[in-house]
Amino acid sequence: MDAYPEKTCSIDRLVTHPKLVAATIAGIKTQQRRDGIYGLPGETFDLEGMTFVVTDLTRQRLGDMTDAHAIAEGYPNLEMYKDIILRMHAGMTWEVDSLVWVHTFAAKIDN
């Protein structure tokens, strides 16, 4: 996908929870799912002095998530990911056909 809809939020809001920031810096967390677009491929963001670059942006159904996806989000498995997400977002339900944007990122290596 080369053309994306307009961004819905600043990239600085992509990863904000302290535990997830720490997991990103440690290289454990490499993805963030959001209901909107926070960053486009090639765009960078900083966390505690480290720079990260968005390497991919795709759409995914919540029902297509696997344990591997939850691990990339920084969680040990899908059940824990679902439980925490539903507790963080009051009133949210896990609808398998709901689409989210998957932001994939990596630490930026300066050459």
Side-chain angles (χ1 to χ4, degrees), residues 9 26 30 33 40-41 43 50 52 55 57 60 87 99 103:
C9 197
T30 59
R33 282 157 179 77
L40 299 169
E43 196 170 355
M50 283 186 70
F52 295 85
T55 58
L57 180 65
Q60 181 183 48
R87 283 192 282 138
L99 291 172
H103 300 76

Side-chain angles (χ1 to χ4, degrees), residues 2-111:
D2 294 335
Y4 299 99
E6 193 171 315
K7 285 176 53 175
T8 53
C9 197
S10 167
I11 195 167
D12 295 334
R13 304 282 310 144
L14 183 61
V15 180
T16 58
H17 190 281
K19 286 183 180 180
L20 298 179
V21 168
T24 302
I25 290 168
I28 297 166
K29 180 176 177 60
T30 59
Q31 292 184 341
Q32 178 69 53
R33 282 157 179 77
R34 296 284 188 183
D35 63 355
I37 296 175
Y38 286 47
L40 299 169
E43 196 170 355
T44 62
F45 62 99
D46 293 322
L47 297 174
E48 297 182 11
M50 283 186 70
T51 301
F52 295 85
V53 62
V54 176
T55 58
D56 197 19
L57 180 65
T58 58
R59 290 289 262 171
Q60 181 183 48
R61 288 177 58 250
L62 285 179
D64 292 335
M65 281 190 72
T66 65
D67 280 337
H69 294 124
I71 291 168
E73 281 273 1
Y75 297 89
N77 57 53
L78 182 58
E79 283 308 310
M80 183 171 281
Y81 174 80
K82 285 169 57 173
D83 180 59
I84 290 172
I85 292 299
L86 293 174
R87 283 192 282 138
M88 286 174 60
H89 301 282
M92 178 184 172
T93 57
W94 191 269
E95 301 293 332
V96 295
D97 287 326
S98 291
L99 291 172
V100 293
W101 286 99
V102 182
H103 300 76
T104 302
F105 45 84
K108 185 171 187 224
I109 307 299
D110 290 326
N111 293 329

